[in-house]
Amino acid sequence: MNIEFDEFLLRRLQVDDAEEYFIFIDSNRERIAKYFPVTVSANSDLNTTTSFIADRVNAWEKREFCSFVICEKKSQKIIGSVFLKDIDWKVLKSEIGYFIDGEYSGKGIISKAVISNITGDKYHF
């Protein structure tokens, strides 16, 4: 699943994203620490980020947690994260969390990413 909007792409978080995801978290560590302390502490270096992503991929396969990244189309730079947790598949509801690189904050990118993921009553994951 890849969803394009404007000059961005919303896609699943993958194990191959470890280095870029670590850079994204590390450069935004202070901004997101208050609201996402588990994510910040679980991404303290490249090794922990690799394990963190592997856990998220495994949780996706079990349909327990869905992790997405927002990337710039041209550079593939990760600029945001969107995730679904506490998923109830019977009534199709979940809690949503998200954060974005400070440089891109306040530009409506998260809103567009979330809206782009839903078409009518079908979800793209």
Side-chain angles (χ1 to χ4, degrees):
M1 179 233 42
N2 290 338
I3 298 172
E4 296 184 20
F5 61 99
D6 300 337
E7 64 267 14
F8 304 102
L9 173 71
L10 176 72
R11 63 169 176 76
R12 286 177 64 171
L13 179 64
Q14 303 166 8
V15 175
D16 293 345
D17 292 325
E19 186 173 350
E20 185 68 30
Y21 194 78
F22 172 72
I23 291 168
F24 164 63
I25 296 295
D26 199 45
S27 63
N28 289 280
R29 193 169 298 280
E30 289 181 30
R31 286 184 64 247
I32 64 176
K34 180 178 178 181
Y35 299 103
F36 300 98
V38 172
T39 300
V40 169
S41 65
N43 290 277
S44 59
D45 57 41
L46 187 55
N47 288 332
T48 59
T49 297
T50 301
S51 295
F52 174 83
I53 293 174
D55 290 345
R56 292 296 190 239
V57 168
N58 185 44
W60 184 299
E61 291 168 1
K62 293 178 180 178
R63 298 174 49 104
E64 298 171 345
F65 198 101
C66 299
S67 297
F68 302 90
V69 290
I70 303 169
C71 304
E72 290 182 323
K73 282 184 200 175
K74 283 185 181 180
S75 68
Q76 292 299 304
K77 175 184 175 186
I78 295 174
I79 61 134
S81 177
V82 178
F83 57 88
L84 304 174
K85 66 179 192 171
D86 299 328
I87 301 168
D88 183 338
W89 292 100
K90 292 177 185 166
V91 293
L92 291 179
K93 73 174 185 172
S94 70
E95 183 177 333
I96 186 169
Y98 52 83
F99 50 91
I100 194 159
D101 186 278
E103 182 180 334
Y104 298 86
S105 183
K107 298 182 179 183
I109 297 168
I110 292 289
S111 296
K112 288 180 183 179
V114 171
I115 291 167
S116 296
N117 193 40
I118 302 170
T119 304
D121 62 348
K122 293 189 177 185
Y123 296 84
H124 298 281
F125 57 90

